[in-house]
Amino acid sequence: MNRNEMTKNLYFREFKCGLSIKQTAELCFKSVTTVKSWDKGKTIPPECKRLMRMVSGRELSNGDQWNGFEMVHDRLIIPTGQKASPQQIIIGLSLLECSTEADLRVIRNILKISMAISKIKNMGT
């Protein structure tokens, strides 16, 4: 591997997961040499990749219903790419607990407006 080249595996380990070679080796019960071979392009075993994602907080669960969800810093990234703060999640759950017909109409309107705002914001990027 050229010093100026960066493989997908190296990028994944170092930048996405924030793990050093030694941390990865210890986490996956592999040798430093094995991890270095992954950095050069050899396939990372799926179970090791999953461990790396889980320990770095990038994967929430191994349940199918969480596919596409990940944590990046202090935000939950949902499969659509939207980022949610803890406060936004709490507000959303609180709104869902509303049970009167008037409350449900308000919730529907809020969701329509927020989706429209999101579309407008995404048009500028």
Side-chain angles (χ1 to χ4, degrees), residues 33-51:
T33 305
T34 298
V35 176
K36 286 180 179 180
S37 73
W38 296 343
D39 284 353
K40 292 178 182 174
K42 187 174 179 189
T43 303
I44 301 173
E47 62 276 8
C48 294
K49 231 177 177 176
R50 178 165 290 228
L51 277 172

mmCIF file of all heavy atoms in Angstrom, residues 33-51:
data_model
loop_
_atom_site.group_PDB
_atom_site.id
_atom_site.type_symbol
_atom_site.label_atom_id
_atom_site.label_comp_id
_atom_site.label_asym_id
_atom_site.label_seq_id
_atom_site.Cartn_x
_atom_site.Cartn_y
_atom_site.Cartn_z
ATOM 1 N N THR A 33 -0.539 -7.735 13.587
ATOM 2 C CA THR A 33 -0.223 -8.030 12.189
ATOM 3 C C THR A 33 -1.502 -8.261 11.379
ATOM 4 O O THR A 33 -1.625 -7.782 10.243
ATOM 5 C CB THR A 33 0.692 -9.276 12.095
ATOM 6 O OG1 THR A 33 1.837 -9.051 12.897
ATOM 7 C CG2 THR A 33 1.083 -9.582 10.677
ATOM 8 N N THR A 34 -2.461 -8.970 11.967
ATOM 9 C CA THR A 34 -3.734 -9.231 11.283
ATOM 10 C C THR A 34 -4.470 -7.922 11.022
ATOM 11 O O THR A 34 -4.971 -7.684 9.916
ATOM 12 C CB THR A 34 -4.613 -10.184 12.118
ATOM 13 O OG1 THR A 34 -3.931 -11.424 12.245
ATOM 14 C CG2 THR A 34 -5.967 -10.415 11.474
ATOM 15 N N VAL A 35 -4.516 -7.053 12.033
ATOM 16 C CA VAL A 35 -5.215 -5.769 11.868
ATOM 17 C C VAL A 35 -4.521 -4.929 10.793
ATOM 18 O O VAL A 35 -5.184 -4.294 9.967
ATOM 19 C CB VAL A 35 -5.296 -5.008 13.210
ATOM 20 C CG1 VAL A 35 -5.925 -3.629 13.011
ATOM 21 C CG2 VAL A 35 -6.099 -5.809 14.231
ATOM 22 N N LYS A 36 -3.199 -4.959 10.775
ATOM 23 C CA LYS A 36 -2.469 -4.217 9.741
ATOM 24 C C LYS A 36 -2.792 -4.759 8.348
ATOM 25 O O LYS A 36 -2.865 -3.997 7.381
ATOM 26 C CB LYS A 36 -0.967 -4.268 10.002
ATOM 27 C CG LYS A 36 -0.539 -3.380 11.153
ATOM 28 C CD LYS A 36 0.966 -3.462 11.378
ATOM 29 C CE LYS A 36 1.399 -2.555 12.511
ATOM 30 N NZ LYS A 36 2.843 -2.602 12.752
ATOM 31 N N SER A 37 -3.007 -6.068 8.256
ATOM 32 C CA SER A 37 -3.368 -6.645 6.949
ATOM 33 C C SER A 37 -4.773 -6.186 6.538
ATOM 34 O O SER A 37 -5.028 -5.975 5.351
ATOM 35 C CB SER A 37 -3.267 -8.168 6.966
ATOM 36 O OG SER A 37 -4.316 -8.755 7.706
ATOM 37 N N TRP A 38 -5.667 -6.005 7.499
ATOM 38 C CA TRP A 38 -6.989 -5.449 7.187
ATOM 39 C C TRP A 38 -6.834 -4.029 6.655
ATOM 40 O O TRP A 38 -7.489 -3.649 5.696
ATOM 41 C CB TRP A 38 -7.888 -5.420 8.413
ATOM 42 C CG TRP A 38 -8.239 -6.743 9.000
ATOM 43 C CD1 TRP A 38 -8.128 -7.976 8.409
ATOM 44 C CD2 TRP A 38 -8.754 -6.979 10.306
ATOM 45 N NE1 TRP A 38 -8.549 -8.960 9.279
ATOM 46 C CE2 TRP A 38 -8.942 -8.371 10.446
ATOM 47 C CE3 TRP A 38 -9.075 -6.165 11.377
ATOM 48 C CZ2 TRP A 38 -9.443 -8.952 11.605
ATOM 49 C CZ3 TRP A 38 -9.581 -6.736 12.534
ATOM 50 C CH2 TRP A 38 -9.758 -8.117 12.642
ATOM 51 N N ASP A 39 -5.948 -3.254 7.313
ATOM 52 C CA ASP A 39 -5.721 -1.872 6.890
ATOM 53 C C ASP A 39 -5.192 -1.795 5.460
ATOM 54 O O ASP A 39 -5.392 -0.803 4.775
ATOM 55 C CB ASP A 39 -4.740 -1.169 7.831
ATOM 56 C CG ASP A 39 -5.369 -0.776 9.160
ATOM 57 O OD1 ASP A 39 -6.600 -0.933 9.316
ATOM 58 O OD2 ASP A 39 -4.625 -0.303 10.047
ATOM 59 N N LYS A 40 -4.527 -2.858 5.023
ATOM 60 C CA LYS A 40 -3.983 -2.888 3.657
ATOM 61 C C LYS A 40 -4.996 -3.391 2.639
ATOM 62 O O LYS A 40 -4.713 -3.450 1.451
ATOM 63 C CB LYS A 40 -2.726 -3.760 3.619
ATOM 64 C CG LYS A 40 -1.568 -3.140 4.380
ATOM 65 C CD LYS A 40 -0.365 -4.054 4.373
ATOM 66 C CE LYS A 40 0.768 -3.430 5.177
ATOM 67 N NZ LYS A 40 1.912 -4.330 5.315
ATOM 68 N N GLY A 41 -6.165 -3.816 3.128
ATOM 69 C CA GLY A 41 -7.214 -4.223 2.196
ATOM 70 C C GLY A 41 -7.770 -5.618 2.379
ATOM 71 O O GLY A 41 -8.758 -5.964 1.742
ATOM 72 N N LYS A 42 -7.147 -6.444 3.218
ATOM 73 C CA LYS A 42 -7.692 -7.786 3.458
ATOM 74 C C LYS A 42 -9.049 -7.639 4.154
ATOM 75 O O LYS A 42 -9.253 -6.740 4.969
ATOM 76 C CB LYS A 42 -6.726 -8.592 4.331
ATOM 77 C CG LYS A 42 -7.144 -10.035 4.480
ATOM 78 C CD LYS A 42 -6.109 -10.851 5.228
ATOM 79 C CE LYS A 42 -6.608 -12.277 5.372
ATOM 80 N NZ LYS A 42 -5.772 -13.067 6.243
ATOM 81 N N THR A 43 -9.977 -8.514 3.843
ATOM 82 C CA THR A 43 -11.340 -8.426 4.363
ATOM 83 C C THR A 43 -11.377 -8.566 5.883
ATOM 84 O O THR A 43 -10.792 -9.491 6.444
ATOM 85 C CB THR A 43 -12.231 -9.522 3.732
ATOM 86 O OG1 THR A 43 -12.184 -9.381 2.316
ATOM 87 C CG2 THR A 43 -13.662 -9.424 4.211
ATOM 88 N N ILE A 44 -12.095 -7.642 6.515
ATOM 89 C CA ILE A 44 -12.318 -7.717 7.963
ATOM 90 C C ILE A 44 -13.475 -8.690 8.182
ATOM 91 O O ILE A 44 -14.543 -8.522 7.579
ATOM 92 C CB ILE A 44 -12.693 -6.344 8.552
ATOM 93 C CG1 ILE A 44 -11.593 -5.316 8.291
ATOM 94 C CG2 ILE A 44 -12.981 -6.455 10.051
ATOM 95 C CD1 ILE A 44 -11.959 -3.894 8.694
ATOM 96 N N PRO A 45 -13.301 -9.700 9.039
ATOM 97 C CA PRO A 45 -14.414 -10.624 9.300
ATOM 98 C C PRO A 45 -15.639 -9.861 9.809
ATOM 99 O O PRO A 45 -15.505 -8.904 10.582
ATOM 100 C CB PRO A 45 -13.853 -11.552 10.383
ATOM 101 C CG PRO A 45 -12.366 -11.446 10.251
ATOM 102 C CD PRO A 45 -12.103 -10.050 9.796
ATOM 103 N N PRO A 46 -16.831 -10.273 9.383
ATOM 104 C CA PRO A 46 -18.054 -9.549 9.761
ATOM 105 C C PRO A 46 -18.221 -9.397 11.276
ATOM 106 O O PRO A 46 -18.657 -8.359 11.749
ATOM 107 C CB PRO A 46 -19.185 -10.390 9.171
ATOM 108 C CG PRO A 46 -18.557 -11.324 8.212
ATOM 109 C CD PRO A 46 -17.104 -11.421 8.522
ATOM 110 N N GLU A 47 -17.865 -10.433 12.022
ATOM 111 C CA GLU A 47 -18.029 -10.355 13.480
ATOM 112 C C GLU A 47 -17.095 -9.304 14.080
ATOM 113 O O GLU A 47 -17.447 -8.622 15.051
ATOM 114 C CB GLU A 47 -17.823 -11.720 14.152
ATOM 115 C CG GLU A 47 -16.454 -12.338 13.991
ATOM 116 C CD GLU A 47 -16.229 -13.118 12.701
ATOM 117 O OE1 GLU A 47 -17.090 -13.090 11.806
ATOM 118 O OE2 GLU A 47 -15.168 -13.754 12.605
ATOM 119 N N CYS A 48 -15.929 -9.139 13.502
ATOM 120 C CA CYS A 48 -14.996 -8.108 13.981
ATOM 121 C C CYS A 48 -15.496 -6.711 13.617
ATOM 122 O O CYS A 48 -15.427 -5.789 14.422
ATOM 123 C CB CYS A 48 -13.597 -8.339 13.413
ATOM 124 S SG CYS A 48 -12.836 -9.851 14.021
ATOM 125 N N LYS A 49 -16.032 -6.587 12.409
ATOM 126 C CA LYS A 49 -16.571 -5.295 11.981
ATOM 127 C C LYS A 49 -17.732 -4.883 12.890
ATOM 128 O O LYS A 49 -17.846 -3.728 13.290
ATOM 129 C CB LYS A 49 -17.036 -5.384 10.528
ATOM 130 C CG LYS A 49 -16.472 -4.293 9.685
ATOM 131 C CD LYS A 49 -16.865 -4.427 8.249
ATOM 132 C CE LYS A 49 -16.284 -3.221 7.543
ATOM 133 N NZ LYS A 49 -16.472 -3.216 6.143
ATOM 134 N N ARG A 50 -18.565 -5.839 13.218
ATOM 135 C CA ARG A 50 -19.705 -5.559 14.103
ATOM 136 C C ARG A 50 -19.216 -5.127 15.474
ATOM 137 O O ARG A 50 -19.711 -4.159 16.048
ATOM 138 C CB ARG A 50 -20.597 -6.782 14.228
ATOM 139 C CG ARG A 50 -21.763 -6.538 15.195
ATOM 140 C CD ARG A 50 -22.803 -7.577 15.027
ATOM 141 N NE ARG A 50 -23.417 -7.319 13.738
ATOM 142 C CZ ARG A 50 -24.725 -7.264 13.535
ATOM 143 N NH1 ARG A 50 -25.533 -7.468 14.526
ATOM 144 N NH2 ARG A 50 -25.216 -7.018 12.367
ATOM 145 N N LEU A 51 -18.235 -5.830 16.014
ATOM 146 C CA LEU A 51 -17.666 -5.444 17.311
ATOM 147 C C LEU A 51 -17.098 -4.037 17.266
ATOM 148 O O LEU A 51 -17.300 -3.241 18.195
ATOM 149 C CB LEU A 51 -16.546 -6.419 17.713
ATOM 150 C CG LEU A 51 -16.938 -7.717 18.370
ATOM 151 C CD1 LEU A 51 -15.715 -8.629 18.501
ATOM 152 C CD2 LEU A 51 -17.547 -7.461 19.736
#
